[in-house]
């Protein structure tokens, strides 16, 4: 059996990959087992913003691999501090709690918000409610799918965790109506990624910020997909000139090498955690910290936010000139092309012509190449895209 047959024979069937076997990556490109090159326009769902095998991140990982990789948080390690400081500075929050996957960062946010509601806001213990948006995607744990509105993500996985309320995304009146004295937090994606690249109406996040402040509710933004320069700013919330009370970060925080995530907040909120309240065996390990620090340095030093803004504006403009798409949505290099019909055949046709993209929500093709992609590669891709969906 070849690699694919082995995976199909011995793996669970929880994914349906496009029929291509990738064996190598460099920058914005990947190669399959026959040596064919593809432009990666998915970037592992924005986990490879810095490009595949970024030399500086690889070097940081290799040098750490020769020293020490895992200590647990039972002891200090010499890498974690610098990583936490860098992310605190870049996010503007005073404290950072490191985890591994995005879902764990979101779980951390939920626990922090609930405990804050009781200890600081005075909501009766275990009575706090968290408001989320229709069409959200925050991960796959049983608690997180408890407040998903996607039937497939939930079916058969109950009983679910209580304590969540769902409001339409982008509807400020509905949000205000849903806030009660028990509301601890509003948890939102600044742009809904998995939901089909849904950009909320202009001013929405600013109004949410006002509402949250008025009602003493935390505004927690899930920047796992939108953060780290993807939308043309370091954080997507910057587009609306607001500051949330906390953010979840993941995906590109690991530079495409390793799972690194974090929950960032200020003292009052992060202060709800005391030793033993929460943790992770691998969270904050020296290998992940060294990689995370290099991943952040690359984003800043290579001006990847500016590049995402420039190339994203160009690409979106070109995509909007096509006749096939019903709508082109997005910001920076997080772009969703809404098609009139099924997106998977389009992705298969793009693949056959050297472009890897993934359908989301059946009729949307997401274009989110590594932010290091250059204009020439995008121009070539645009020629192919225009042939596949004129
Ligand atoms: C991918 C994603 C997550 C979950 O991250 P994992 O690392 O897969 O657990 C959470 N929130 C958003 C917005 C995401 O895009």
């Amino acid at each position: 059996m070849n690699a694919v047959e082995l995976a199909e024979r011995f793996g669970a069937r929880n994914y349906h990959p496009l029929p291509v076997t990738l064996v190598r990556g460099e920058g914005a490109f990947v190669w399959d087992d026959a040596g064919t090159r593809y432009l990666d326009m998915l970037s592992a769902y924005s986990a490879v913003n810095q490009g595949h095998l970024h030399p500086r991140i690889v070097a940081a990982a290799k040098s750490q691999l020769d020293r020490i990789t895992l200590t647990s948080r039972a002891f200090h390690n010499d890498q974690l501090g610098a990583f936490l400081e860098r992310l605190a500075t870049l996010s503007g929050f005073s404290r950072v709690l490191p985890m591994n996957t995005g879902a764990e960062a979101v779980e951390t946010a939920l626990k922090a918000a609930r405990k804050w509601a009781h200890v600081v806001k005075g909501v009766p213990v275990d009575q706090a409610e968290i408001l989320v948006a229709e069409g959200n995607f925050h991960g796959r744990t049983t608690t997180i799918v408890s407040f998903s509105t996607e039937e497939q993500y939930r079916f058969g996985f109950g009983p679910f965790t209580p304590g969540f309320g769902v409001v339409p995304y982008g509807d400020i009146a509905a949000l205000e109506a849903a806030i009660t004295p028990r509301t601890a937090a509003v948890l939102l994606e600044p742009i809904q990624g998995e939901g089909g690249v849904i950009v909320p109406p202009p001013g929405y996040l600013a109004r949410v910020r006002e509402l949250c402040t008025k009602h003493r509710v935390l505004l927690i933004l899930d920047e796992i997909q939108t953060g780290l320069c993807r939308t043309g700013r370091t954080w997507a919330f910057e587009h609306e000139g607001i500051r949330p009370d906390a953010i979840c970060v993941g995906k590109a925080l690991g530079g495409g090498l390793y799972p690194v995530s974090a929950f960032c907040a200020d003292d009052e909120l992060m202060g709800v955690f005391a030793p033993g309240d929460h943790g992770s065996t691998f969270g904050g390990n020296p290998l992940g910290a060294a990689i995370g620090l290099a991943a952040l340095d690359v984003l800043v030093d290579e001006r990847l936010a500016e590049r995402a803004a420039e190339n994203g504006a160009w690409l979106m403009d070109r995509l909007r000139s096509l006749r096939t798409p019903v709508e082109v949505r997005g910001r920076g290099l997080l772009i969703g092309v809404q098609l009139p019909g099924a997106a998977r055949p389009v992705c298969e046709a793009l693949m056959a012509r050297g472009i890897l993209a993934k359908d989301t929500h059946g009729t949307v093709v997401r274009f989110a190449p590594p932010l290091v992609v250059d204009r020439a590669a995008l121009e070539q891709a645009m020629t192919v895209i225009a042939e596949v969906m004129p």
Side-chain angles (χ1 to χ4, degrees), residues 106-376:
V106 172
E107 288 277 354
T108 304
L110 300 174
K111 288 169 84 172
R114 284 174 161 193
K115 194 163 179 189
W116 173 91
H118 177 58
V119 175
V120 180
K121 186 172 173 175
V123 174
V125 71
D126 299 341
Q127 294 295 307
E129 188 169 75
I130 294 173
L131 298 175
V132 300
E134 272 172 20
N136 72 75
F137 183 84
H138 298 286
R140 301 285 201 159
T141 66
T142 41
T143 287
I144 293 172
V145 300
S146 294
F147 55 84
S148 173
T149 56
E150 193 63 39
E151 181 55 19
Q152 195 197 351
Y153 297 168
R154 292 165 53 88
F155 176 76
F157 297 134
F160 298 111
T161 308
F164 298 97
V166 183
V167 295
Y169 189 58
D171 184 339
I172 199 77
L175 180 64
E176 177 146 41
I179 292 175
T180 74
R182 295 194 297 135
T183 308
V186 174
L187 171 67
L188 296 172
E189 298 156 86
I191 294 173
Q192 291 186 331
E194 298 311 301
V197 190
I198 309 295
V199 183
Y204 175 63
L205 287 182
R207 306 269 310 275
V208 174
R209 171 70 277 178
E210 281 168 25
L211 266 188
C212 286
T213 304
K214 179 172 148 202
H215 295 281
R216 207 177 176 213
V217 167
L218 300 168
L219 173 57
I220 303 178
L221 294 180
D222 180 344
E223 290 264 12
I224 290 166
Q225 188 161 158
T226 53
L228 301 177
C229 306
R230 172 55 58 187
T231 69
R233 306 292 288 267
T234 307
W235 310 107
F237 66 72
E238 293 175 56
H239 291 289
E240 293 226 352
I242 62 152
R243 191 171 178 276
D245 297 295
I247 57 172
C248 300
V249 191
K251 294 205 163 107
L253 191 55
L257 267 68
Y258 193 85
V260 183
S261 71
F263 172 66
C264 307
D266 287 329
D267 287 334
E268 182 185 273
L269 178 52
M270 201 67 96
V272 303
F273 290 122
D277 285 358
H278 185 57
S280 159
T281 304
F282 283 85
N285 74 71
L287 181 60
I291 289 171
L293 179 62
L296 293 173
D297 283 343
V298 165
L299 291 167
V300 174
D301 293 352
E302 300 191 7
R303 300 176 54 255
L304 293 185
E306 288 88 333
R307 286 168 65 176
E310 288 159 19
N311 284 324
W314 179 87
L315 185 58
M316 216 162 338
D317 206 49
R318 293 294 315 276
L319 288 166
R320 285 192 172 128
S321 74
L322 303 176
R323 275 175 288 112
T324 311
V326 176
E327 192 187 8
V328 178
R329 306 182 285 258
R331 217 165 221 157
L333 280 171
L334 180 58
I335 302 173
V337 176
Q338 177 74 55
L339 297 175
R344 177 138 178 144
V346 172
C347 292
E348 285 169 359
L350 288 170
M351 189 186 85
R353 317 265 324 245
I355 292 176
L356 293 185
K358 181 74 175 73
D359 52 296
T360 173
H361 270 248
T363 54
V364 181
V365 183
R366 172 174 25 198
F367 290 117
L371 309 183
V372 295
V373 68
D374 61 23
R375 184 63 63 84

